[in-house]
Amino acid sequence: VEAHLGRRIHGIGFEGVEPLSDFLISIHSEFAEAIFKGAKLWELRRAPPAKAGKHLFFVYEPKPKGAITGWFASSRVLLASPRTLWKRVGQQSFLDRESFFEYFGDLPVGGGIEIGRTRRLQANLDLELLRTLDPGFRPPQNFERVEADHALFRALRIQMPSLFEYEDGLHIACASPGTFDAFPGEGE
């Protein structure tokens, strides 16, 4: 059982019980597709999350798609020089060597987010819906932490109400233990 902001999530592949941080991350469609197909195992960031831990990243694909299309779990963030990153994860980043080093430029340290379990949503959460729920919603340029009252969770409640129950006034998302079938993209 994971507990975060009054939300419990079962079966997303993390051992033990630790706080779970949720992020909305912007990833271009080409790379998002590679993530969901299992071809991209590390997401590179010039500035990754500062805290190591168990994270759930909801994938926002910028326009022309302009929608949240799925999620991936991660329990590992690697910070290192670009040279070391290339040696350790470059082949699993879905970039060629030249593009990899061009991305990091002359930064002394870059980051990689290991991609664990993934799931595509059955129905994308498009920008129009997110802005209907929160007129101030802006897709992240990089990534941002999302709280329980974020437009993303309001959209999930509308799109997939069976995922959400309430216990003592707290929002709880439930999935079958040991499975990914129910959170947050039901079924295959």
Side-chain angles (χ1 to χ4, degrees):
V1 175
E2 299 287 332
H4 175 63
L5 298 171
R7 179 164 59 86
R8 292 192 190 112
I9 303 170
H10 302 274
I12 60 171
F14 296 140
E15 294 85 30
V17 178
E18 295 182 27
L20 179 72
S21 297
D22 299 325
F23 291 94
L24 181 57
I25 188 167
S26 187
I27 301 176
H28 289 283
S29 294
E30 165 190 10
F31 299 113
E33 187 65 30
I35 287 170
F36 295 127
K37 287 184 174 181
K40 181 175 172 70
L41 304 177
W42 286 86
E43 173 61 19
L44 304 173
R45 292 289 146 154
R46 294 170 59 91
K51 264 180 119 172
K54 313 297 185 192
H55 302 296
L56 195 61
F57 289 88
F58 291 91
V59 176
Y60 176 83
E61 294 183 41
K63 289 188 174 192
K65 195 164 275 185
I68 296 171
T69 59
W71 59 270
F72 67 87
S74 179
S75 59
R76 188 171 169 208
V77 175
L78 180 61
L79 298 174
S81 70
R83 186 173 162 203
T84 300
L85 277 175
W86 175 255
K87 287 179 185 175
R88 296 195 53 200
V89 304
Q91 301 292 324
Q92 301 167 340
S93 69
F94 204 69
L95 286 177
D96 61 46
R97 182 180 171 82
E98 183 179 339
S99 298
F100 182 96
F101 284 102
E102 185 178 303
Y103 175 72
F104 285 110
D106 58 0
L107 285 177
V109 174
I113 302 166
E114 186 174 35
I115 297 165
R117 300 280 183 129
T118 66
R119 177 73 68 206
R120 262 201 189 283
L121 297 178
Q122 282 186 325
N124 292 342
L125 304 176
D126 66 28
L127 192 53
E128 185 179 327
L129 171 65
L130 294 165
R131 286 194 172 143
T132 298
L133 297 168
D134 177 1
F137 176 80
R138 285 198 155 119
Q141 292 296 313
N142 185 12
F143 63 88
E144 69 181 46
R145 183 179 301 272
V146 293
E147 304 296 336
D149 64 345
H150 193 278
L152 162 64
F153 292 117
R154 284 182 268 172
L156 287 171
R157 282 187 203 105
I158 290 168
Q159 295 278 347
M160 294 169 271
S162 64
L163 292 179
F164 297 89
E165 298 175 358
Y166 290 87
E167 179 179 289
D168 298 328
L170 299 177
H171 162 237
I172 298 174
C174 297
S176 303
T179 71
F180 285 91
D181 292 342
F183 188 80
E186 295 205 24
E188 293 298 324

PDB file of all heavy atoms in Angstrom, residues 21 31 60 65-66 99:
ATOM      1  N   SER A  21       5.527  10.151  -4.710  1.00  0.00           N
ATOM      2  CA  SER A  21       5.402  11.490  -5.268  1.00  0.00           C
ATOM      3  C   SER A  21       4.873  11.376  -6.686  1.00  0.00           C
ATOM      4  O   SER A  21       5.332  10.542  -7.455  1.00  0.00           O
ATOM      5  CB  SER A  21       6.763  12.188  -5.305  1.00  0.00           C
ATOM      6  OG  SER A  21       7.260  12.362  -4.007  1.00  0.00           O
ATOM      7  N   PHE A  31       9.113  10.095 -28.095  1.00  0.00           N
ATOM      8  CA  PHE A  31       9.745   9.472 -26.931  1.00  0.00           C
ATOM      9  C   PHE A  31       8.716   8.807 -26.022  1.00  0.00           C
ATOM     10  O   PHE A  31       8.992   7.763 -25.429  1.00  0.00           O
ATOM     11  CB  PHE A  31      10.583  10.499 -26.177  1.00  0.00           C
ATOM     12  CG  PHE A  31      11.695  11.061 -27.029  1.00  0.00           C
ATOM     13  CD1 PHE A  31      11.679  12.383 -27.420  1.00  0.00           C
ATOM     14  CD2 PHE A  31      12.740  10.254 -27.464  1.00  0.00           C
ATOM     15  CE1 PHE A  31      12.687  12.905 -28.219  1.00  0.00           C
ATOM     16  CE2 PHE A  31      13.752  10.752 -28.264  1.00  0.00           C
ATOM     17  CZ  PHE A  31      13.728  12.089 -28.641  1.00  0.00           C
ATOM     18  N   TYR A  60       2.582  13.870 -20.183  1.00  0.00           N
ATOM     19  CA  TYR A  60       1.872  14.853 -21.008  1.00  0.00           C
ATOM     20  C   TYR A  60       2.632  14.953 -22.323  1.00  0.00           C
ATOM     21  O   TYR A  60       3.826  15.239 -22.342  1.00  0.00           O
ATOM     22  CB  TYR A  60       1.827  16.230 -20.334  1.00  0.00           C
ATOM     23  CG  TYR A  60       1.190  17.260 -21.234  1.00  0.00           C
ATOM     24  CD1 TYR A  60      -0.191  17.385 -21.307  1.00  0.00           C
ATOM     25  CD2 TYR A  60       1.961  18.071 -22.050  1.00  0.00           C
ATOM     26  CE1 TYR A  60      -0.787  18.293 -22.168  1.00  0.00           C
ATOM     27  CE2 TYR A  60       1.378  18.989 -22.906  1.00  0.00           C
ATOM     28  CZ  TYR A  60       0.013  19.087 -22.965  1.00  0.00           C
ATOM     29  OH  TYR A  60      -0.568  19.982 -23.829  1.00  0.00           O
ATOM     30  N   LYS A  65      -0.590  16.570 -30.031  1.00  0.00           N
ATOM     31  CA  LYS A  65      -1.460  15.708 -29.225  1.00  0.00           C
ATOM     32  C   LYS A  65      -2.087  16.503 -28.080  1.00  0.00           C
ATOM     33  O   LYS A  65      -3.274  16.436 -27.855  1.00  0.00           O
ATOM     34  CB  LYS A  65      -0.698  14.498 -28.703  1.00  0.00           C
ATOM     35  CG  LYS A  65      -1.627  13.420 -28.177  1.00  0.00           C
ATOM     36  CD  LYS A  65      -0.923  12.105 -28.031  1.00  0.00           C
ATOM     37  CE  LYS A  65      -0.941  11.383 -29.353  1.00  0.00           C
ATOM     38  NZ  LYS A  65      -0.408  10.056 -29.348  1.00  0.00           N
ATOM     39  N   GLY A  66      -1.293  17.207 -27.314  1.00  0.00           N
ATOM     40  CA  GLY A  66      -1.793  18.047 -26.239  1.00  0.00           C
ATOM     41  C   GLY A  66      -2.644  17.301 -25.226  1.00  0.00           C
ATOM     42  O   GLY A  66      -3.748  17.722 -24.928  1.00  0.00           O
ATOM     43  N   SER A  99      23.080  13.077 -30.321  1.00  0.00           N
ATOM     44  CA  SER A  99      21.896  13.756 -29.769  1.00  0.00           C
ATOM     45  C   SER A  99      21.945  13.806 -28.244  1.00  0.00           C
ATOM     46  O   SER A  99      21.549  14.792 -27.631  1.00  0.00           O
ATOM     47  CB  SER A  99      20.618  13.048 -30.214  1.00  0.00           C
ATOM     48  OG  SER A  99      20.493  13.077 -31.605  1.00  0.00           O
TER      49      SER A  99
END
